[in-house]
Amino acid sequence: MTAISAFATRAGFATGLSVPALVLLAFVIVPLTASPYVLEAILLPFLALSLAGLGLNLLTGYGGQVSLGSAAFMAVGAFAAYNFDLRTGLPLPVSILLAGLTAATIGLLFGLPSLRLRGFYLAVSTLAAQFFVQWALTKFAWFSNGSPSGIIAAPVIELAGLRLDSATGRYLFSLSIVTAITLLVHRIVTGPEGVNLIAVRDNETAARVIGVPVLRTKLVAFALSSAIIGVAGVLWAFTYLRTVEPAGFNLDRSFQILFIVIIGGLATIRGTFLGAGLIVVFPLLLGRLSAFAFDGLIDAGLIKLIERIVLGSTIILFLIAEPNGLSAILSRLTARLRGLWRG
C-alpha cells in the first residue's frame, strides 16, 4: 500500500479522500451501486480515454513531443489484441500485453522523425500515422478476419474461466488495468526517466550537455506512450464499443485525446483523469439539456452542432481562465478549502 499512497500524495491524485476510501469507492461501492447506464455510458469510456490521455501526457506533457496520431495507436492495439486472441488462442491478458508491444513498435517507427523534427513539423509527421493506419486496416481484410464491412465483434472477456461479459465485469477489468498502468506511469515520471523527459522537454541542448541521452529518451517516450495508448484502444473496443472497427479510431478521437490532456493539465497524472471526466460527462449533460429545452423544436442535426459549439466554447474559456488546466484549478480550490478548515 506504500506505493499507492506515494502515488496519491506525490501525483496529487487524491483530493480529500484517503487511499483506502478511493479503493473502496472504485472497486466496491461503484460496482455495487452504479446502474448499467452509468457503467456503459460514462465509466467505461472514461477509463479507456483516461488511459489514452495518460499515454499522450507522458509523451507530450512530460516529454514535450507533440503527437496527433493517438487514435492510430489505439487502433493498432485493438486490432492486434483481436488477432492475437483469434489466431493464437493465448489468454486475453497475454494478447493485451502483445498488443501493447505491437503499438509500441509502430509508435517507435513513427517516432523516428522526432530525432530531427520538433513542434508543428513533428505533429504533422505523427498525423501521417493516423491516415496510414486507417488506410491499412481498411485496405487489408486480414486484419478484420475477412469481414466485408470491416466491423468485427470483440471477443468475450474471460479470465481463468470467469466470464466478465457484464457491465460490472468489464468495468472491473478496465479499472484494474488502468490502475496498474497509472501506478507504472507514476513510477516512471517520478524516477530518473521522468527527470530525463522533463529535461528534454525544457531544453534539449541543456539536457544533452548534462548527459541526458536525448535521442534514447525521445524514442522511449514514443514507445511507452504508444504502448499505453494501444492498451487503451483494447479497452475502448473490447469493453466499451464491443466491436473492433477502423471508424472507432478516427482523427476526431485523436483530437479528443489531445483535448483531454490540454484541458486536464500537461504533465499531471490527476489532470488526465479530470480532463477525461469533462470530455465524457459534459457532452452527455449537454445532450440531456438540449433534449429537454429544444426537443421537437429544432432539428436534431442542428442540436448536435449547437452542442459542439458550446463544448468548444467551454474548452476555450477553461484555457483562458487557467492555461494549466483543471488540475491547477482543483489544486487552488483544495488549498483554499484546507485554509478555511484550518482557520
Side-chain angles (χ1 to χ4, degrees):
M1 209 60 175
T2 304
I4 300 178
S5 300
F7 162 68
T9 302
R10 294 164 65 184
F13 187 78
T15 53
L17 287 175
S18 65
V19 173
L22 283 173
V23 173
L24 181 67
L25 176 66
F27 282 92
V28 179
I29 296 177
V30 169
L32 291 176
T33 60
S35 67
Y37 173 79
V38 171
L39 294 172
E40 296 270 7
I42 298 177
L43 294 179
L44 286 175
F46 165 75
L47 289 171
L49 291 176
S50 294
L51 189 58
L54 193 65
L56 182 60
N57 213 344
L58 180 65
L59 177 67
T60 302
Y62 289 96
Q65 310 302 306
V66 182
S67 174
L68 296 177
S70 299
F73 304 126
M74 289 181 73
V76 169
F79 276 89
Y82 170 79
N83 281 282
F84 279 124
D85 182 79
L86 175 70
R87 305 178 194 281
T88 66
L90 292 170
L92 184 58
V94 178
S95 296
I96 293 176
L97 177 62
L98 292 175
L101 293 175
T102 304
T105 303
I106 301 299
L108 194 61
L109 290 175
F110 282 97
L112 289 174
S114 69
L115 303 182
R116 300 294 299 272
L117 301 176
R118 299 182 189 178
F120 173 77
Y121 301 100
L122 177 60
V124 171
S125 72
T126 59
L127 191 60
Q130 181 68 45
F131 298 118
F132 174 78
V133 168
Q134 275 201 299
W135 170 81
L137 294 176
T138 306
K139 178 71 173 177
F140 301 104
W142 181 87
F143 292 111
S144 56
N145 197 31
S147 172
S149 65
I151 302 174
I152 44 183
V156 175
I157 299 173
E158 187 172 340
L159 294 176
L162 178 64
R163 289 172 63 96
L164 302 175
D165 200 35
S166 65
T168 301
R170 285 180 280 122
Y171 164 76
L172 289 172
F173 178 77
S174 297
L175 179 63
S176 300
I177 291 178
V178 171
T179 301
I181 294 179
T182 302
L183 290 171
L184 174 63
V185 170
H186 171 254
R187 289 186 66 88
I188 291 172
V189 300
T190 56
E193 196 63 43
V195 175
N196 290 346
L197 282 171
I198 294 173
V200 170
R201 178 197 68 189
D202 291 344
N203 192 315
E204 285 189 21
T205 303
R208 192 174 285 109
V209 168
I210 63 175
V212 174
V214 173
L215 302 184
R216 173 186 169 276
T217 299
K218 285 184 176 182
L219 292 180
V220 168
F222 265 98
L224 284 174
S225 171
S226 301
I228 294 170
I229 294 173
V231 175
V234 179
L235 298 184
W236 183 259
F238 284 27
T239 67
Y240 174 53
L241 295 180
R242 309 196 73 185
T243 59
V244 186
E245 55 179 310
F249 306 99
N250 54 21
L251 185 59
D252 286 349
R253 190 74 58 222
S254 289
F255 281 111
Q256 185 182 41
I257 298 167
L258 181 62
F259 292 155
I260 285 172
V261 174
I262 294 173
I263 294 170
L266 293 170
T268 164
I269 293 176
R270 177 178 63 184
T272 301
F273 290 90
L274 295 174
L278 180 68
I279 287 294
V280 170
V281 174
F282 194 60
L284 292 176
L285 294 177
L286 281 179
R288 291 291 183 91
L289 181 62
S290 60
F292 174 76
F294 305 113
D295 189 26
L297 300 177
I298 301 179
D299 180 70
L302 181 58
I303 290 177
K304 281 292 181 185
L305 181 60
I306 293 173
E307 289 175 9
R308 290 194 172 195
I309 292 173
V310 172
L311 178 60
S313 301
T314 304
I315 291 172
I316 293 172
L317 290 174
F318 263 120
L319 295 179
I320 292 174
E322 180 49 79
N324 293 323
L326 292 174
S327 181
I329 295 175
L330 185 59
S331 294
R332 287 205 305 268
L333 180 61
T334 303
R336 289 180 182 176
L337 290 176
R338 286 176 179 170
L340 292 173
W341 179 262
R342 291 172 182 172

